[in-house]
Amino acid sequence: MARVIVDVMLKPEILDPQGQAIARALPRLGFSRVADVRQGKRFEIEIDGPADEAEITKMAETLLANTVIEDFTIRLEQ
Amino acid sequence: MRVGVVTFPGTLDDQDAARAVRLAGAEAVPLWHADHDLRGVDAVFLPGGFSYGDYLRCGAISRFAPIMDELIPAARDGLPVLGTCNGFQILCEAHLLPGALTRNEGLHYVCRDQRVRVENAGTAWTSAFTKGQEILLPIKHGEGRYVAAPEVLHELEGSGRVVFRYAGGNPNGSMNDIAGIANAAGTIVGLMPHPEHAVEELTGAPSLDGRGFFASILAKLVTA
């Protein structure tokens, strides 16, 4: 059993209003050194047998991320 | 003339869309997301709502529904398709239209009557309008901010594929005030505003401008 983490983030040039709202809220709560926040998604995927990075990449491109607006990174936790 | 109206789990506007099709004098043919069958329709309306609960991204799951296995190749072969709101999001996720719809700037869900300028009256769904005409349609969405890469925007603008632009204020932060776009052939059109909610005075519609979409496609199908 392999465990794979896929992180999906809006591309840097795409406006992230949710991240901005959080970045505005944190200083109000006393976290005064927060300079910026970007919000994304994390997928934890359990695979039967060993993980195949090419297969995970295909999975991310097909469904997990919309590559028009999002980038993704893959980490294998064997 | 038979216009298919697709229902996914979570679709909300299919009944309004079917009613608008019937008012225009065509037959509304219900199409079910789980069927591999377009039932021989002459055109397809992808209505709004929250298909599959907007899980993952708006339209991301719907794009892989069985009906889409039939619709995507048929649309590429010229079957006219109109997607409104969630339907527009599905068309983008299916790569039938370029770009994507993202969270509104300011995060607010916007529900109001919106002036929209017709920028291209040459598509299958807009021939009843004139270029530059302003129409009034309801909008109701939280993720309607159109974004695309600079080269895609340039191509859309240069080739007249920006079909609708918001007038009198941009409700969601869409790039270039874009409210709707078309494919290169002008057969597939997607927009955030709701023509199917602007066809009858009885429902409190802000206008009857939505009728133009259905008049356009019927005129096209009659002459085809």
Side-chain angles (χ1 to χ4, degrees):
Chain A
M1 187 78 117
R3 184 179 157 86
V4 183
I5 309 296
V6 179
D7 287 314
V8 176
M9 296 296 296
L10 282 172
K11 291 184 186 216
E13 67 271 24
I14 302 288
L15 180 77
D16 174 18
Q18 294 181 103
Q20 286 179 345
I22 296 162
R24 283 194 301 270
L26 286 171
R28 283 207 305 273
L29 300 171
F31 302 99
S32 57
R33 296 188 304 116
V34 172
D36 193 22
V37 177
R38 301 283 289 175
Q39 178 179 314
K41 297 186 190 114
R42 170 190 163 108
F43 299 87
E44 300 176 350
I45 303 166
E46 311 280 337
I47 305 276
D48 283 332
D52 172 357
E53 188 159 353
E55 187 188 24
I56 306 293
T57 301
K58 180 92 176 139
M59 220 181 269
E61 287 171 347
T62 308
L63 181 63
L64 304 182
N66 177 352
T67 55
V68 174
I69 49 169
E70 293 169 326
D71 295 323
F72 61 87
T73 55
I74 294 169
R75 271 175 298 143
L76 306 180
E77 293 186 353
Q78 298 290 357
Chain B
M1 295 300 125
R2 306 174 78 236
V3 178
V5 177
V6 181
T7 300
F8 298 93
T11 295
L12 298 177
D13 301 331
D14 46 344
Q15 296 305 315
D16 287 44
R19 191 172 168 80
V21 167
R22 286 195 298 271
L23 271 174
E27 180 188 352
V29 180
L31 299 177
W32 184 238
H33 70 104
D35 291 342
H36 278 280
D37 188 1
L38 290 176
R39 302 180 64 186
V41 295
D42 303 300
V44 170
F45 191 111
L46 279 178
F50 298 86
S51 59
Y52 295 92
D54 276 353
Y55 289 175
L56 188 60
R57 295 177 305 277
C58 305
I61 312 287
S62 322
R63 174 248 179 283
F64 293 102
I67 193 75
M68 294 301 289
D69 288 345
E70 310 306 317
L71 181 57
I72 291 170
R76 290 214 174 101
D77 284 345
L79 181 74
V81 180
L82 180 70
T84 65
C85 199
N86 191 216
F88 184 16
Q89 294 163 340
I90 294 168
L91 288 174
C92 287
E93 282 283 344
H95 305 303
L96 288 171
L97 292 174
L101 283 314
T102 60
R103 189 64 68 105
N104 291 352
E105 189 175 59
L107 292 174
H108 288 287
Y109 188 96
V110 183
C111 183
R112 69 184 196 206
D113 299 331
Q114 173 71 43
R115 283 198 289 129
V116 177
R117 191 167 61 250
V118 179
E119 300 282 24
N120 181 344
T123 78
W125 299 90
T126 58
S127 62
F129 302 112
T130 53
K131 182 172 157 56
Q133 181 180 350
E134 279 193 13
I135 59 178
L136 188 63
L137 296 174
I139 56 169
K140 44 170 186 135
H141 60 254
E143 303 196 30
R145 178 175 185 267
Y146 183 77
V147 299
E151 63 273 17
V152 174
L153 274 183
H154 185 75
E155 199 275 329
L156 290 174
E157 292 285 0
S159 56
R161 289 172 58 189
V162 174
V163 181
F164 298 103
R165 225 183 287 273
Y166 298 115
N170 183 332
N172 52 31
S174 273
M175 288 179 166
N176 295 17
D177 299 331
I178 288 172
I181 58 172
N183 65 339
T187 51
I188 306 172
V189 171
L191 75 164
M192 288 312 296
H194 288 270
E196 77 283 10
H197 294 332
V199 295
E200 273 184 305
E201 282 159 353
L202 195 62
T203 60
S207 75
L208 302 182
D209 293 335
R211 290 183 177 185
F213 290 75
F214 303 95
S216 299
I217 192 62
L218 258 64
K220 178 183 169 62
L221 294 176
V222 166
T223 55

